[in-house]
Amino acid sequence: MKRELIEPRPGWQDKVSAQGFLYHSLESPYWEESACYAFTAAEVDQLEAATNELFGMCLEAVELVMKEKRYAQFRIPEWVAPLIEYSWKEDMPSIYGRFDLAFRDGQVKLLEFNADTPTSLLEASVVQWFWLKDVFPAMDQFNAIHERLVKHWEVIKPYLASPAIHFACMPDAVEDYMNVAYLMDTAEQAGLQPQLLYIPNIGYDAERRQFLGVKDEPIHTLFKLYPYEFMVQEEYGQALLPSKENTWWIEPAWKMILSNKSLLPLLWEMYPGHPLLLEASWQPIGGDFVKKPIFSREGANLTVVRDGQLLEGTGGEYGREGFVFQRYFELPVFDGMRPVIGSWVIGGEAAGIGIRETEGYVTGNTSRFVPHYFRP
């Protein structure tokens, strides 16, 4: 793996905007194509195998939490447990997830799993693919995300109550809308009938035990880019359980276990010393570590300590539910930038990667996205 400096395409802003990429430039460019990352085919094989192995381990973790009723350790309310167990027993469909991985000196390490509401999907799937075709047409890319999404919608389509499927996000959230719009497009390509719906406009009929759209139409299947830990605390959260047979949610409720930072110490407990894992605990650990809220997003409320010194601390609104502690792993540094690999799981299988980089120690929502290629 190496970072290469290259010349950006003339007019790249217009190109990526035409591909639906609406926030390619923030205070500084979010999409970065004056550089790229190059991999060997063997490294791509290693990342793919690691992703598949990690996902299998995560499924084992879900089963353990349910078997041993360890929901309190995950700060999941007791009343939610039957919903999680029902969604698992009924094999309710899961579309996607994204592992954040460190990759240095041939080592792959899990940093966390964005299992419920991962973003940066369009740039990983479509935008960097067209960049590859323009810049390195003879090269390849670890990227079958689009094809896998369409195929997986086709796989689950016969099991849905209706081809009509609602897609929901918060209004005025450009990044969320962009990801939802892209997923709607892949569902439509699979023969489904996607309908956009904003989270505040979702209704509920208690008598019918049915969530409703803006025209009071029944919602049979709803993809939501909105965290479960928010949902279960809100007015209609209690309706998730009685409506469980009538409204299916994507991602399914069992993803609450995997989108939770308590997954990290649980995996270490289950697979101590595993080469893909970093030591993690619910209790403080000595030495170099990262302190992470059990619920957090976009690098908020993290503390990074090395050699007893604070390397970086981020603000935010998370941490009320408690923290986990994970062994600090030094990211590689290229031209002063530290990359984190987002490895996508689509339909339960590794499907491709996207890379975010930052000058600091915490990857946040403004960290730059950099495309990649490998030599076939």
Side-chain angles (χ1 to χ4, degrees):
M1 176 183 176
K2 60 181 180 178
R3 188 179 192 267
E4 298 178 343
L5 299 178
I6 58 173
E7 192 68 28
R9 294 170 294 173
W12 65 265
Q13 295 91 341
D14 292 336
K15 293 177 184 291
V16 301
S17 294
Q19 292 153 13
F21 196 16
L22 304 179
Y23 63 104
H24 52 75
S25 300
L26 304 171
E27 294 179 3
S28 59
Y30 165 69
W31 169 263
E32 174 62 85
E33 62 173 69
S34 63
C36 65
Y37 283 89
F39 294 83
T40 67
E43 288 174 327
V44 167
D45 290 343
Q46 182 183 2
L47 289 167
E48 180 178 24
T51 300
N52 287 328
E53 184 173 358
L54 284 168
F55 190 67
M57 294 159 63
C58 286
L59 298 182
E60 294 288 336
V62 174
E63 292 194 325
L64 181 66
V65 170
M66 292 190 298
K67 178 182 177 181
E68 298 186 356
K69 307 298 182 184
R70 296 175 66 169
Y71 299 104
Q73 206 166 29
F74 283 68
R75 306 300 188 266
I76 294 173
E78 185 176 346
W79 69 265
V80 180
L83 179 68
I84 292 174
E85 293 167 10
Y86 178 82
S87 71
W88 181 261
K89 178 183 176 182
E90 295 299 318
D91 196 21
M92 289 190 173
S94 167
I95 297 297
Y96 72 158
R98 191 192 75 230
F99 287 109
D100 283 350
L101 306 175
F103 189 35
R104 191 200 76 216
D105 300 332
Q107 300 180 81
V108 178
K109 298 291 185 182
L110 173 64
L111 300 176
E112 58 188 59
F113 189 19
N114 300 279
D116 181 21
T117 58
T119 55
S120 75
L121 183 61
L122 178 66
E123 50 267 47
S125 176
V126 174
V127 181
Q128 70 167 343
W129 179 256
F130 282 104
W131 167 87
L132 179 78
K133 294 304 162 189
D134 286 345
V135 180
F136 293 109
M139 299 301 176
D140 205 347
Q141 192 175 81
F142 184 18
N143 184 5
I145 297 170
H146 183 84
E147 294 83 356
R148 294 278 181 85
L149 283 169
V150 175
K151 179 63 178 177
H152 196 56
W153 287 120
E154 292 173 347
V155 167
I156 69 173
K157 180 181 174 182
Y159 302 96
L160 303 180
S162 166
I165 177 170
H166 291 74
F167 286 76
C169 64
M170 291 297 290
D172 303 321
V174 175
E175 180 182 7
D176 290 359
Y177 170 78
M178 190 186 76
N179 281 270
V180 165
Y182 171 60
L183 283 165
M184 290 175 64
D185 180 64
T186 62
E188 188 171 29
Q189 290 184 43
L192 292 166
Q193 299 167 13
Q195 302 176 44
L196 180 65
L197 178 66
Y198 291 117
I199 295 290
N201 295 332
I202 298 173
Y204 183 68
D205 186 324
E207 183 176 342
R208 294 159 59 189
R209 296 185 298 172
Q210 180 81 62
F211 282 94
L212 305 173
V214 292
K215 299 179 180 178
D216 289 335
E217 76 276 13
I219 297 175
H220 298 294
T221 306
L222 194 153
F223 173 92
K224 49 88 189 166
L225 195 59
Y226 192 68
Y228 269 114
E229 64 263 29
F230 294 175
M231 292 171 62
V232 299
Q233 301 294 332
E234 295 175 355
E235 179 182 358
Y236 289 115
Q238 296 284 339
L240 290 169
L241 188 57
S243 65
K244 65 183 186 300
E245 296 180 17
N246 298 324
T247 299
W248 285 17
W249 295 81
I250 301 176
E251 292 294 303
W254 57 264
K255 281 292 193 76
M256 279 189 254
I257 296 171
L258 300 184
S259 62
N260 186 304
K261 300 300 187 300
S262 283
L263 174 68
L264 301 173
L266 180 65
L267 286 175
W268 187 254
E269 174 188 314
M270 295 172 65
Y271 305 97
H274 193 286
L276 295 177
L277 301 177
L278 296 167
E279 177 190 0
S281 173
W282 287 278
Q283 302 301 322
I285 58 178
D288 304 342
F289 64 88
V290 181
K291 180 182 176 183
K292 299 181 175 184
I294 287 177
F295 296 122
S296 68
R297 296 178 183 277
E298 299 179 337
N301 301 100
L302 264 61
T303 302
V304 184
V305 174
R306 185 181 64 187
D307 298 329
Q309 301 295 316
L310 176 66
L311 288 182
E312 188 168 348
T314 59
E317 301 177 352
Y318 300 99
R320 290 184 299 274
E321 297 80 9
F323 294 83
V324 302
F325 299 82
Q326 185 182 50
R327 181 64 61 204
Y328 174 71
F329 184 80
E330 194 79 45
L331 293 173
V333 180
F334 301 94
D335 305 319
M337 306 302 294
R338 294 177 175 85
V340 168
I341 295 174
S343 189
W344 289 90
V345 176
I346 308 294
E349 296 183 357
I353 61 172
I355 301 170
R356 304 280 301 283
E357 65 175 19
T358 181
E359 295 175 332
Y361 295 89
V362 177
T363 303
N365 65 331
T366 59
S367 298
R368 291 180 289 189
F369 189 101
V370 184
H372 79 279
Y373 75 89
F374 73 92
R375 192 177 302 275

